[in-house]
Amino acid sequence: MAKKTVLVSGGAGYIGSHVTVELINAGYDVVVADNMSNCDMTCFEGVKKITGRDDIPFELMDCCDTAKVQDLFGRYKIDAVIHFAAFKAVGESVAQPIKYYRNNLDSFLNILDASIAHGGCNVLFSSSATVYGETDKLPVTEESPRQSATSPYGNTKQICEDILRDVIKASAAYGTEVNAGASAQGPVKGIALRYFNPIGAHPSALIGELPRGVPNNLVPFITQTAIGKRACLSIFGNDYPTPDGTCLRDYIDIVDLAKAHVAAVSRMLDGKMKKDYEIFNVGTGRPVSVSELVNAFEKVNGLKLNYKYVDRRPGDVVAIWADTRLANEELGWKAERTVEETLASAWAWEKHIAGIE
Ligand code: WQD
């Protein structure tokens, strides 16, 4: 059987590069499209080394460019798309909402329109547990209500989920003649994966997270503090109503997360979907506090981290973790790496980019 081709938009970034590796390991052909707005070639080069594949097609392009996206779909026979190409800094999105709405919505609309125009497609959208907001009904299932987004970034995730749902619904109800541009053709099916907190790096330490400037997220801040790029980690709040007073999150290993994408793509391509639009939580199902994570990092890597407790960060939810049963049962996928293994991989990657090991 001919190999299926998966387009990975944003494939040179943190999550996209790990997903590209796992797709290739699973026997798919991959086309990577990226405008390099938030990364350099480090991870794509790493992907080539890990997979031993020097011939992975790379398209330097912005998915907000309608003509270029149409052209791309004309040049490759794309069987499925995984759409990562989006901005993701919560704080920046509050300051620059138009930039976020324009980029995150336009790029997705272009991908959907081109997919339909070229015979229909299976679309995997990279969504976020941020759509659940603050809730005391934990763990959250896919049926848990979404709540008003607290940032334009979070809102773009909700809106893109809704766009995908509506496009799929219209495709099933009316065919695609009325569902897209003039050359509308094929049907659309899709899956939204709601990620919890992706952390860590590939065990090879050849790909990982490359934050620009001061990291917003916890684990890159920890590793940068450990290596001496940052003087001290601030732990935001130790007076939350949790066992140790710090927030609880569901930290999901990046390779496990990448494997969930392969399971979801295979489900779409092998005709195993139960509905045309499906949603899955991608997490471990285990809550871990900020203090626990810091302690685990120190222990597994045998070092002491400079940290202090400071005020709460505005906008943080107290606790969120996933009910993973649906993903476990339907995708046949389960998070496997321990948080210690993941934190060891994050540290190995930080040392790799610092040129230490
Ligand atoms: C985790 C915990 C912080 C930094 C965000 C987005 C989400 C998703 C992932 C993005 C919290 C605490 C953090 C620090 C700290 N999307 N913390 N000191 O906020 O759960 O989720 O990132 O790409 O949509 O909202 O992740 O890593 O920022 O924070 O104490 O320097 O670590 O307060 O409790 P978050 P995070």
Side-chain angles (χ1 to χ4, degrees):
M1 209 167 67
K3 271 187 163 186
K4 300 275 188 190
T5 301
V6 183
L7 169 65
V8 182
S9 77
Y14 173 44
I15 303 180
S17 57
H18 288 82
V19 168
T20 299
V21 167
E22 297 308 321
L23 286 168
I24 290 172
N25 286 346
Y28 291 104
D29 278 337
V30 177
V31 177
V32 170
D34 207 301
N35 67 354
M36 311 304 284
S37 66
N38 193 31
C39 61
D40 57 28
M41 287 306 267
T42 308
C43 285
F44 190 65
E45 292 303 325
V47 168
K48 291 201 269 184
K49 273 200 200 123
I50 294 167
T51 58
R53 288 274 303 271
D54 215 21
D55 57 346
I56 305 164
F58 180 86
E59 300 282 338
L60 179 62
M61 57 175 280
D62 188 337
C63 291
C64 291
D65 186 327
T66 309
K68 285 209 175 119
V69 177
Q70 290 283 350
D71 173 68
L72 179 76
F73 275 79
R75 285 186 290 116
Y76 297 96
K77 199 204 153 300
I78 309 280
D79 297 294
V81 184
I82 305 182
H83 182 64
F84 293 112
F87 295 149
K88 59 167 191 175
V90 177
E92 185 186 53
S93 79
V94 175
Q96 299 181 58
I98 292 177
K99 173 176 164 181
Y100 271 68
Y101 285 114
R102 206 185 281 293
N103 184 67
N104 292 7
L105 303 188
D106 274 358
S107 59
F108 193 45
L109 288 167
N110 282 341
I111 291 278
L112 287 170
D113 206 4
S115 299
I116 295 166
H118 290 85
C121 206
N122 299 285
V123 179
L124 197 164
F125 177 63
S126 151
S127 191
S128 168
T130 193
V131 302
Y132 296 118
E134 179 94 61
T135 173
D136 48 15
K137 288 214 178 69
L138 291 162
V140 287
T141 73
E142 291 78 356
E143 299 301 320
S144 302
R146 296 187 328 186
Q147 307 210 33
S148 293
T150 52
S151 72
Y153 158 75
N155 207 19
T156 66
K157 291 294 173 195
Q158 299 209 2
I159 295 170
C160 284
E161 282 193 355
D162 293 346
I163 290 172
L164 182 58
R165 179 202 60 206
D166 291 348
V167 166
I168 290 168
K169 213 192 275 174
S171 156
Y174 306 109
T176 45
E177 294 305 313
V178 291
N179 193 12
S183 55
Q185 288 183 6
V188 190
K189 294 189 177 186
I191 291 179
L193 293 183
R194 291 179 176 159
Y195 314 149
F196 284 69
N197 288 59
I199 61 166
H202 193 266
S204 65
L206 291 171
I207 55 176
E209 194 168 1
L210 268 181
R212 289 205 168 151
V214 183
N216 296 310
N217 297 116
L218 179 59
V219 168
F221 208 107
I222 290 176
T223 56
Q224 290 196 4
T225 305
I227 209 139
K229 267 196 212 168
R230 311 276 155 213
C232 183
L233 167 74
S234 294
I235 296 185
F236 299 132
N238 60 348
D239 57 353
Y240 283 101
T242 60
D244 65 19
T246 63
C247 292
L248 297 171
R249 293 288 183 277
D250 185 334
Y251 295 96
I252 171 79
D253 178 85
I254 189 70
V255 176
D256 282 335
L257 179 92
K259 289 179 177 166
H261 291 73
V262 176
V265 162
S266 303
R267 180 177 175 88
M268 294 193 293
L269 291 176
D270 298 346
K272 301 247 170 73
M273 294 176 75
K274 292 196 174 146
K275 289 180 288 179
D276 289 349
Y277 174 51
E278 297 179 325
I279 299 173
F280 297 103
N281 284 341
V282 184
T284 65
R286 286 186 302 274
V288 173
S289 77
V290 178
S291 286
E292 283 173 329
L293 199 82
V294 168
N295 293 340
F297 180 84
E298 291 185 321
K299 194 161 172 223
V300 70
N301 295 311
L303 41 83
K304 279 272 155 235
L305 199 70
N306 197 15
Y307 65 86
K308 61 178 184 218
Y309 295 104
V310 301
D311 287 347
R312 294 178 177 195
R313 182 172 68 176
D316 273 340
V317 299
V318 179
I320 184 140
W321 66 94
D323 184 322
T324 62
R325 281 174 299 174
L326 193 68
N328 298 157
E329 284 159 23
E330 291 296 324
L331 296 179
W333 166 91
K334 199 168 180 313
E336 280 167 359
R337 274 168 111 192
T338 64
V339 80
E340 286 78 15
E341 286 171 312
T342 306
L343 291 169
S345 74
W347 180 229
W349 164 248
E350 187 68 55
K351 287 190 287 185
H352 172 77
I353 48 179
I356 294 175
E357 271 172 25

